[in-house]
Amino acid sequence: MPEIIKDFLPRSLKNQRPGNPMTPKYITVHNTANSSKGADAEMHSRYLHNGAGGRVVGWHLTVDDKEIYQHLPTDENGWHAGDGNGDGNMSSIGIEICENSDGDFDKAVKNAQWLVKKLMKEHNISINNVVPHKHWSGKNCPRLMLGNWNEFIEGIKGASETVDAPSQQVDSETVTNGSIVDYLNSINKDASFSNRAKLAKQYGIKGYKGTASQNTELLNKLKKGKPVSKPSKSIKVGSKVYLSKSASKYATGENIPSSIKGKSYTVQQVKGNKVLLKEIYSWVYKSDVGGSGKSSKQKSKSFSPGQKVTVKKSASKFATGESIASFVKGNSYTVKQVKSDRVLLGGIMSWVRKKDVY
Ligand SMILES: [Zn+2]
């Protein structure tokens, strides 16, 4: 059975986690409509954690052929059904099923059937209230499953119950996740999945997915002390630093608004693992700022209209948040417009981040 990784979105992401209390009466099934390679549950979790490209959207769980990510607790609503304040958005658990071309779609559907059955049981929801997204808004979603919806429903009835094993797994996951999250909170560190993944990397834990055993390993390593290889950053007063887009909390614990991130600031004071940034008069962690070298290099990339550029193969999203189709990658386009960190490409008429073209 797939593992359920609870990776709740922070409450500060209002567009993704509106936080209205909900008693789930329905389960709404979606397809991600993203067949790109690598567009699995983990990627969609990252997408939501990164603010979904400015869109107002959020759902409860994403299922792929290997695992399940949970983004929202099931007693809060999400924006996924396209019916405003109707029952789709306000009373249904939203499940996205991945269709990444490098995954096994049939397996992902099987995993979803197992998950739906489990949720039906937990929340006393009848099979008649398991509905496609189309039920609420008429959208052609889940696009790969509408043609054989009855088959999907029949498969839920026949899905394995395996009540003990998976629920234990989920419990232990929660407990272990909880203890590392509690520990990080207790030392005033960001406990989000993305920061835990960053820490895991620093401490030599490869391929961090937030499993119980990895969390235990990370917790033990964190308690033991500093990572071996991480050089201490020396930052000078008066120097310019770049505040990382992945930074989430000020050193004082408050959330950093996204409008503050991804910009350069002047260092006014340095103290232990923190620096005081002059323009915003706020303490941030050294680990969240980069040297001016990085930012000035980013800034120095200059593009002008009429110039031909190539979209990097490693690029994954347009500046507007949608995934870049694979045929666009590695292709050349003419720059139509240039704006701060992005360029508008002719032919596809889409904004792409400067860092994603060369
Ligand atoms: Zn949908």
Side-chain angles (χ1 to χ4, degrees), residues 10 42-43 92 100 138-139 165 188 203 206 217-218 236 248 254 260 286 316 352 354:
E42 190 203 353
M43 194 224 83
S92 88
N100 47 310
K139 186 178 173 183
N188 254 331
Y203 283 82
K206 283 186 184 144
E217 189 185 351
L218 180 57
K236 289 198 180 91
S248 74
E254 295 88 16
I260 300 289
K286 277 185 184 175
S316 74
V352 176
K354 285 181 182 173

PDB file of all heavy atoms in Angstrom, residues 10 42-43 92 100 138-139 165 188 203 206 217-218 236 248 254 260 286 316 352 354:
ATOM      1  N   PRO A  10       1.624  25.529   5.019  1.00  0.00           N
ATOM      2  CA  PRO A  10       1.552  26.474   6.142  1.00  0.00           C
ATOM      3  C   PRO A  10       0.284  27.332   6.039  1.00  0.00           C
ATOM      4  O   PRO A  10      -0.179  27.622   4.945  1.00  0.00           O
ATOM      5  CB  PRO A  10       2.807  27.326   5.964  1.00  0.00           C
ATOM      6  CG  PRO A  10       3.177  27.178   4.533  1.00  0.00           C
ATOM      7  CD  PRO A  10       2.711  25.821   4.095  1.00  0.00           C
ATOM      8  N   GLU A  42       5.090  14.268  -5.275  1.00  0.00           N
ATOM      9  CA  GLU A  42       6.052  15.134  -4.576  1.00  0.00           C
ATOM     10  C   GLU A  42       6.161  16.487  -5.288  1.00  0.00           C
ATOM     11  O   GLU A  42       6.195  17.535  -4.651  1.00  0.00           O
ATOM     12  CB  GLU A  42       7.422  14.462  -4.530  1.00  0.00           C
ATOM     13  CG  GLU A  42       8.376  15.194  -3.625  1.00  0.00           C
ATOM     14  CD  GLU A  42       9.836  14.937  -3.965  1.00  0.00           C
ATOM     15  OE1 GLU A  42      10.126  14.083  -4.835  1.00  0.00           O
ATOM     16  OE2 GLU A  42      10.675  15.610  -3.362  1.00  0.00           O
ATOM     17  N   MET A  43       6.197  16.451  -6.631  1.00  0.00           N
ATOM     18  CA  MET A  43       6.301  17.707  -7.370  1.00  0.00           C
ATOM     19  C   MET A  43       5.081  18.587  -7.134  1.00  0.00           C
ATOM     20  O   MET A  43       5.203  19.802  -6.980  1.00  0.00           O
ATOM     21  CB  MET A  43       6.473  17.431  -8.863  1.00  0.00           C
ATOM     22  CG  MET A  43       6.912  18.647  -9.637  1.00  0.00           C
ATOM     23  SD  MET A  43       6.001  18.840 -11.180  1.00  0.00           S
ATOM     24  CE  MET A  43       4.536  19.664 -10.605  1.00  0.00           C
ATOM     25  N   SER A  92     -15.987  18.894   0.273  1.00  0.00           N
ATOM     26  CA  SER A  92     -15.439  17.679  -0.319  1.00  0.00           C
ATOM     27  C   SER A  92     -13.918  17.608  -0.195  1.00  0.00           C
ATOM     28  O   SER A  92     -13.229  18.632  -0.203  1.00  0.00           O
ATOM     29  CB  SER A  92     -15.857  17.541  -1.795  1.00  0.00           C
ATOM     30  OG  SER A  92     -14.963  18.191  -2.664  1.00  0.00           O
ATOM     31  N   ASN A 100       1.755  11.665 -14.756  1.00  0.00           N
ATOM     32  CA  ASN A 100       3.095  11.892 -15.309  1.00  0.00           C
ATOM     33  C   ASN A 100       3.497  10.740 -16.227  1.00  0.00           C
ATOM     34  O   ASN A 100       3.281   9.577 -15.895  1.00  0.00           O
ATOM     35  CB  ASN A 100       4.118  12.079 -14.185  1.00  0.00           C
ATOM     36  CG  ASN A 100       4.016  11.056 -13.081  1.00  0.00           C
ATOM     37  OD1 ASN A 100       2.924  10.825 -12.558  1.00  0.00           O
ATOM     38  ND2 ASN A 100       5.118  10.433 -12.737  1.00  0.00           N
ATOM     39  N   GLY A 138     -18.608  21.099 -14.244  1.00  0.00           N
ATOM     40  CA  GLY A 138     -18.706  20.771 -15.656  1.00  0.00           C
ATOM     41  C   GLY A 138     -17.355  20.647 -16.342  1.00  0.00           C
ATOM     42  O   GLY A 138     -17.286  20.313 -17.524  1.00  0.00           O
ATOM     43  N   LYS A 139     -16.259  20.890 -15.605  1.00  0.00           N
ATOM     44  CA  LYS A 139     -14.920  20.797 -16.205  1.00  0.00           C
ATOM     45  C   LYS A 139     -14.636  19.354 -16.637  1.00  0.00           C
ATOM     46  O   LYS A 139     -15.039  18.407 -15.947  1.00  0.00           O
ATOM     47  CB  LYS A 139     -13.872  21.262 -15.201  1.00  0.00           C
ATOM     48  CG  LYS A 139     -12.482  21.338 -15.804  1.00  0.00           C
ATOM     49  CD  LYS A 139     -11.449  21.844 -14.817  1.00  0.00           C
ATOM     50  CE  LYS A 139     -10.054  21.733 -15.429  1.00  0.00           C
ATOM     51  NZ  LYS A 139      -9.000  22.130 -14.510  1.00  0.00           N
ATOM     52  N   ALA A 165      -2.379  -2.545   8.684  1.00  0.00           N
ATOM     53  CA  ALA A 165      -1.041  -2.137   8.267  1.00  0.00           C
ATOM     54  C   ALA A 165      -0.947  -0.665   7.863  1.00  0.00           C
ATOM     55  O   ALA A 165      -0.200   0.077   8.477  1.00  0.00           O
ATOM     56  CB  ALA A 165      -0.542  -3.051   7.162  1.00  0.00           C
ATOM     57  N   ASN A 188      13.210  26.875  17.323  1.00  0.00           N
ATOM     58  CA  ASN A 188      12.901  28.038  16.483  1.00  0.00           C
ATOM     59  C   ASN A 188      13.354  27.909  15.043  1.00  0.00           C
ATOM     60  O   ASN A 188      13.775  28.873  14.418  1.00  0.00           O
ATOM     61  CB  ASN A 188      13.557  29.281  17.068  1.00  0.00           C
ATOM     62  CG  ASN A 188      12.520  30.155  17.720  1.00  0.00           C
ATOM     63  OD1 ASN A 188      11.356  30.135  17.297  1.00  0.00           O
ATOM     64  ND2 ASN A 188      12.916  30.884  18.737  1.00  0.00           N
ATOM     65  N   TYR A 203      22.793  16.995   6.150  1.00  0.00           N
ATOM     66  CA  TYR A 203      23.243  15.968   7.077  1.00  0.00           C
ATOM     67  C   TYR A 203      23.487  14.636   6.372  1.00  0.00           C
ATOM     68  O   TYR A 203      23.592  13.597   7.006  1.00  0.00           O
ATOM     69  CB  TYR A 203      22.237  15.798   8.213  1.00  0.00           C
ATOM     70  CG  TYR A 203      22.347  16.897   9.246  1.00  0.00           C
ATOM     71  CD1 TYR A 203      21.734  18.124   9.051  1.00  0.00           C
ATOM     72  CD2 TYR A 203      23.102  16.707  10.416  1.00  0.00           C
ATOM     73  CE1 TYR A 203      21.838  19.136   9.987  1.00  0.00           C
ATOM     74  CE2 TYR A 203      23.217  17.713  11.347  1.00  0.00           C
ATOM     75  CZ  TYR A 203      22.579  18.937  11.138  1.00  0.00           C
ATOM     76  OH  TYR A 203      22.698  19.917  12.059  1.00  0.00           O
ATOM     77  N   LYS A 206      20.175  10.971   1.908  1.00  0.00           N
ATOM     78  CA  LYS A 206      19.852  11.114   0.482  1.00  0.00           C
ATOM     79  C   LYS A 206      18.392  10.837   0.188  1.00  0.00           C
ATOM     80  O   LYS A 206      17.770  10.018   0.838  1.00  0.00           O
ATOM     81  CB  LYS A 206      20.732  10.170  -0.340  1.00  0.00           C
ATOM     82  CG  LYS A 206      22.127  10.736  -0.477  1.00  0.00           C
ATOM     83  CD  LYS A 206      23.001   9.914  -1.395  1.00  0.00           C
ATOM     84  CE  LYS A 206      24.403  10.483  -1.400  1.00  0.00           C
ATOM     85  NZ  LYS A 206      25.425   9.459  -1.484  1.00  0.00           N
ATOM     86  N   GLU A 217      16.169   9.380  11.656  1.00  0.00           N
ATOM     87  CA  GLU A 217      17.602   9.575  11.397  1.00  0.00           C
ATOM     88  C   GLU A 217      17.956  11.059  11.455  1.00  0.00           C
ATOM     89  O   GLU A 217      18.944  11.453  12.091  1.00  0.00           O
ATOM     90  CB  GLU A 217      17.949   9.002  10.012  1.00  0.00           C
ATOM     91  CG  GLU A 217      19.450   8.958   9.741  1.00  0.00           C
ATOM     92  CD  GLU A 217      19.777   8.492   8.316  1.00  0.00           C
ATOM     93  OE1 GLU A 217      18.863   8.043   7.597  1.00  0.00           O
ATOM     94  OE2 GLU A 217      20.961   8.600   7.935  1.00  0.00           O
ATOM     95  N   LEU A 218      17.121  11.867  10.830  1.00  0.00           N
ATOM     96  CA  LEU A 218      17.384  13.310  10.810  1.00  0.00           C
ATOM     97  C   LEU A 218      17.313  13.882  12.223  1.00  0.00           C
ATOM     98  O   LEU A 218      18.165  14.686  12.624  1.00  0.00           O
ATOM     99  CB  LEU A 218      16.383  14.009   9.884  1.00  0.00           C
ATOM    100  CG  LEU A 218      16.517  15.522   9.745  1.00  0.00           C
ATOM    101  CD1 LEU A 218      17.909  15.914   9.256  1.00  0.00           C
ATOM    102  CD2 LEU A 218      15.464  16.082   8.795  1.00  0.00           C
ATOM    103  N   LYS A 236      29.637  39.851   5.903  1.00  0.00           N
ATOM    104  CA  LYS A 236      30.151  41.112   6.445  1.00  0.00           C
ATOM    105  C   LYS A 236      29.067  42.186   6.519  1.00  0.00           C
ATOM    106  O   LYS A 236      28.192  42.260   5.662  1.00  0.00           O
ATOM    107  CB  LYS A 236      31.286  41.626   5.556  1.00  0.00           C
ATOM    108  CG  LYS A 236      32.539  40.779   5.674  1.00  0.00           C
ATOM    109  CD  LYS A 236      33.757  41.553   5.157  1.00  0.00           C
ATOM    110  CE  LYS A 236      35.018  40.733   5.274  1.00  0.00           C
ATOM    111  NZ  LYS A 236      35.296  39.934   4.072  1.00  0.00           N
ATOM    112  N   SER A 248      11.493  30.756   4.810  1.00  0.00           N
ATOM    113  CA  SER A 248      10.083  30.802   5.196  1.00  0.00           C
ATOM    114  C   SER A 248       9.826  31.620   6.457  1.00  0.00           C
ATOM    115  O   SER A 248       8.787  32.239   6.580  1.00  0.00           O
ATOM    116  CB  SER A 248       9.517  29.400   5.329  1.00  0.00           C
ATOM    117  OG  SER A 248       9.984  28.811   6.497  1.00  0.00           O
ATOM    118  N   GLU A 254       8.364  34.859  12.847  1.00  0.00           N
ATOM    119  CA  GLU A 254       7.232  35.216  11.986  1.00  0.00           C
ATOM    120  C   GLU A 254       7.492  34.722  10.564  1.00  0.00           C
ATOM    121  O   GLU A 254       8.631  34.550  10.155  1.00  0.00           O
ATOM    122  CB  GLU A 254       7.024  36.738  11.925  1.00  0.00           C
ATOM    123  CG  GLU A 254       6.612  37.371  13.234  1.00  0.00           C
ATOM    124  CD  GLU A 254       7.816  37.749  14.066  1.00  0.00           C
ATOM    125  OE1 GLU A 254       8.935  37.804  13.511  1.00  0.00           O
ATOM    126  OE2 GLU A 254       7.647  37.966  15.282  1.00  0.00           O
ATOM    127  N   ILE A 260       8.857  39.838   0.045  1.00  0.00           N
ATOM    128  CA  ILE A 260      10.166  40.203   0.610  1.00  0.00           C
ATOM    129  C   ILE A 260      11.264  39.292   0.040  1.00  0.00           C
ATOM    130  O   ILE A 260      12.422  39.660  -0.034  1.00  0.00           O
ATOM    131  CB  ILE A 260      10.117  40.022   2.158  1.00  0.00           C
ATOM    132  CG1 ILE A 260       9.034  40.911   2.776  1.00  0.00           C
ATOM    133  CG2 ILE A 260      11.440  40.240   2.817  1.00  0.00           C
ATOM    134  CD1 ILE A 260       9.340  42.368   2.756  1.00  0.00           C
ATOM    135  N   LYS A 286      21.140  33.152   8.597  1.00  0.00           N
ATOM    136  CA  LYS A 286      22.211  33.149   7.584  1.00  0.00           C
ATOM    137  C   LYS A 286      21.949  32.098   6.507  1.00  0.00           C
ATOM    138  O   LYS A 286      22.249  32.294   5.340  1.00  0.00           O
ATOM    139  CB  LYS A 286      23.556  32.815   8.254  1.00  0.00           C
ATOM    140  CG  LYS A 286      24.245  33.986   8.900  1.00  0.00           C
ATOM    141  CD  LYS A 286      25.607  33.520   9.408  1.00  0.00           C
ATOM    142  CE  LYS A 286      26.319  34.630  10.154  1.00  0.00           C
ATOM    143  NZ  LYS A 286      27.579  34.139  10.751  1.00  0.00           N
ATOM    144  N   SER A 316      11.185  23.844 -15.542  1.00  0.00           N
ATOM    145  CA  SER A 316       9.991  23.044 -15.280  1.00  0.00           C
ATOM    146  C   SER A 316       8.707  23.846 -15.344  1.00  0.00           C
ATOM    147  O   SER A 316       7.665  23.324 -15.720  1.00  0.00           O
ATOM    148  CB  SER A 316      10.123  22.313 -13.950  1.00  0.00           C
ATOM    149  OG  SER A 316       9.958  23.199 -12.883  1.00  0.00           O
ATOM    150  N   VAL A 352       8.679  33.187 -19.403  1.00  0.00           N
ATOM    151  CA  VAL A 352       9.598  32.188 -18.855  1.00  0.00           C
ATOM    152  C   VAL A 352      10.622  32.926 -18.005  1.00  0.00           C
ATOM    153  O   VAL A 352      11.031  34.042 -18.356  1.00  0.00           O
ATOM    154  CB  VAL A 352      10.301  31.419 -19.995  1.00  0.00           C
ATOM    155  CG1 VAL A 352      11.325  30.438 -19.453  1.00  0.00           C
ATOM    156  CG2 VAL A 352       9.281  30.686 -20.842  1.00  0.00           C
ATOM    157  N   LYS A 354      14.048  34.195 -16.519  1.00  0.00           N
ATOM    158  CA  LYS A 354      15.354  34.388 -17.163  1.00  0.00           C
ATOM    159  C   LYS A 354      16.299  33.232 -16.871  1.00  0.00           C
ATOM    160  O   LYS A 354      17.072  32.801 -17.711  1.00  0.00           O
ATOM    161  CB  LYS A 354      15.986  35.693 -16.678  1.00  0.00           C
ATOM    162  CG  LYS A 354      15.357  36.931 -17.280  1.00  0.00           C
ATOM    163  CD  LYS A 354      16.062  38.167 -16.746  1.00  0.00           C
ATOM    164  CE  LYS A 354      15.420  39.439 -17.297  1.00  0.00           C
ATOM    165  NZ  LYS A 354      15.978  40.642 -16.658  1.00  0.00           N
TER     166      LYS A 354
END
